[in-house]
Amino acid sequence: MPQRAATAQPLKRAEKKEVTRQQLIAATVDSIAASGFAETTLHKVSARANVSRSLVNFHFESKEQLLVATLRHLTEEYRTFWMKAISRPGLSAAGKLNAIVDADFHPQVCNRKKIAVWYAFWGESKSRPTYMEVCARADSEFARTMEELTAAVVGDGGYAVSPAVAAKGLRCMIDGLWLELLLAPATFEREAAKRTCRTYLASLFPRHFDMPAAAAPAAVPEAQAAAGGER
Amino acid sequence: MPQRAATAQPLKRAEKKEVTRQQLIAATVDSIAASGFAETTLHKVSARANVSRSLVNFHFESKEQLLVATLRHLTEEYRTFWMKAISRPGLSAAGKLNAIVDADFHPQVCNRKKIAVWYAFWGESKSRPTYMEVCARADSEFARTMEELTAAVVGDGGYAVSPAVAAKGLRCMIDGLWLELLLAPATFEREAAKRTCRTYLASLFPRHFDMPAAAAPAAVPEAQAAAGGER
DNA sequence: ATTTTGATTGAACGGTCGTTCGACGTGTCG
DNA sequence: CGACACGTCGAACGACCGTTCAATCAAAAT
């Protein structure tokens, strides 16, 4: 049951090219997560993608451009994910903040492999301004959106806190919780991370968020048993 | 005016060796910050330290061990810094939490160069378990200390929040704020970062922390004009 | 004063990296 | 159907990496 069942098998040339391109980017993500930034070579990437080594320089002019494309892919995936999460109709500002928290710890964007790649790029960003620019551009959009949401909540509830400060606190807390998944995967719990964020929101905006109950002792029947054992 | 004016010039052999060792570690920090993890080579490190290339393999068995020693140096410096900050006598638990916030954004540990190095190591930690272990060991001590402090505050004030959750939130927020210095140095403000943390603390523990006033418009005569323009 | 120890050097080696280039084969289109 | 365009491959190249090693020279020990 191939996906293109209707139009018959043959991949058009342009399509196949794009598929290979995406394979290379996916292989780069895998390689950075598995071998780190320093030891990610075009040899390893092309081997993972099952293509010849020289193909990388054909699709991307250089290794550096492959890395930039990979970072762009990552930011774009993240962007569409949280945007979709808050686009559900009938969601209040508080509901959207809750949706962002859920999205940010969803296994699709928050798993050790992708977090490792994020941190690898961040670690290189000081020496490669291009990365910094790509990240900053994505972050600023996320920050602006979140500030609009906190501003709506503050306005609605008459809270004294600055919306910008509240939003920044939540954003930073999320980034830090990601780091916990990276450095202490054994103790990281998705639900606990969300609870940490919601505790923050409930203490800032008590009339819009409920203070989470104490930890349910790991008996939560969460659909967390994802594929592959890696979280 | 040499430092060792009293005991005359001559460095003992063991002393000189240790000095060189520290120079190499400092050069490694500089190189990772300037060139990133991937492009940090022994050639660049030895050039920065003004020693021959082969000296690195004399003091450290391999490049990898130099990097581990650098990470250990970083964790140790950070550890002594926050420990000293909370050891001032007569400090309440809340006062110690405040002191930790101050310490974590002090230019000595929180500047772009060192943050870049932290993130570089974190980015490689998934592929090099040694880094993960070193970081995890340091983090767990910091986490335990902070949990003791939040537990004391919670006990004293009869708050409902879990001390562990409160501590984790603060730790993660700090890490995330560091990232902001790394990725958006132009908009990062030390005092604003502290204010973000204190807003969190004041909303969780209103009877122990004052909600910070709105931003003083950058007119704070902070002794922030450090050397070199880099923050 | 002489020997010994050990920090430091410069040259050299093997290996691997990113990139280039010509050849091949298959969709694409006149 | 035939000529071309283009995605893919394998081999090759030069550069640079981390490491090794014999030689050096000054501090320490005898």
Side-chain angles (χ1 to χ4, degrees), chain A residues 116-130:
Chain A
V117 178
W118 276 114
Y119 271 80
F121 276 108
W122 290 340
E124 295 285 303
S125 67
K126 181 169 188 293
S127 57
R128 311 201 196 184
T130 306

Side-chain angles (χ1 to χ4, degrees), chain B residues 31-207:
Chain B
S31 177
I32 293 178
S35 307
F37 214 94
E39 292 187 346
T40 284
T41 72
L42 295 190
H43 176 71
K44 290 183 183 174
V45 170
S46 56
R48 269 178 198 273
N50 279 112
V51 298
S52 95
R53 212 169 325 163
S54 49
L55 201 56
V56 177
N57 290 89
F58 175 78
H59 283 277
F60 308 88
E61 266 190 34
S62 65
K63 180 188 184 184
E64 179 59 22
Q65 294 203 28
L66 166 66
L67 293 171
V68 172
T70 302
L71 178 56
R72 288 225 165 85
H73 175 82
L74 220 61
T75 61
E76 196 52 41
E77 181 193 24
Y78 177 65
R79 195 183 98 103
T80 52
F81 196 77
W82 65 258
M83 276 197 155
K84 187 183 165 199
I86 62 173
S87 69
R88 224 177 57 207
L91 230 41
S92 66
K96 289 185 179 182
L97 284 173
N98 255 325
I100 284 183
V101 170
D102 282 329
D104 271 326
F105 296 103
H106 189 285
Q108 185 176 330
V109 295
C110 173
N111 55 73
R112 266 199 98 208
K113 185 175 86 175
K114 283 180 184 162
I115 304 293
V117 178
W118 275 113
Y119 271 80
F121 276 107
W122 290 340
E124 295 285 304
S125 66
K126 181 168 189 294
S127 56
R128 311 201 197 185
T130 306
Y131 301 170
M132 223 181 89
E133 200 189 328
V134 173
C135 292
R137 192 176 303 272
D139 272 3
S140 82
E141 186 181 11
F142 186 59
R144 191 159 14 90
T145 302
M146 196 180 271
E147 278 176 31
E148 287 170 11
L149 296 176
T150 53
V153 171
V154 165
D156 185 54
Y159 300 109
V161 71
S162 146
V165 169
K168 173 154 61 167
L170 181 57
R171 271 188 299 119
C172 293
M173 191 178 285
I174 290 169
D175 290 335
L177 285 163
W178 278 15
L179 180 61
E180 215 202 306
L181 168 58
L182 183 59
L183 294 183
T187 65
F188 180 85
E189 297 260 351
R190 246 172 261 285
E191 289 308 313
K194 293 182 195 173
R195 221 178 300 127
T196 305
C197 292
R198 299 221 163 90
T199 299
Y200 172 70
L201 288 170
S203 79
L204 275 182
F205 310 126
R207 294 183 292 283

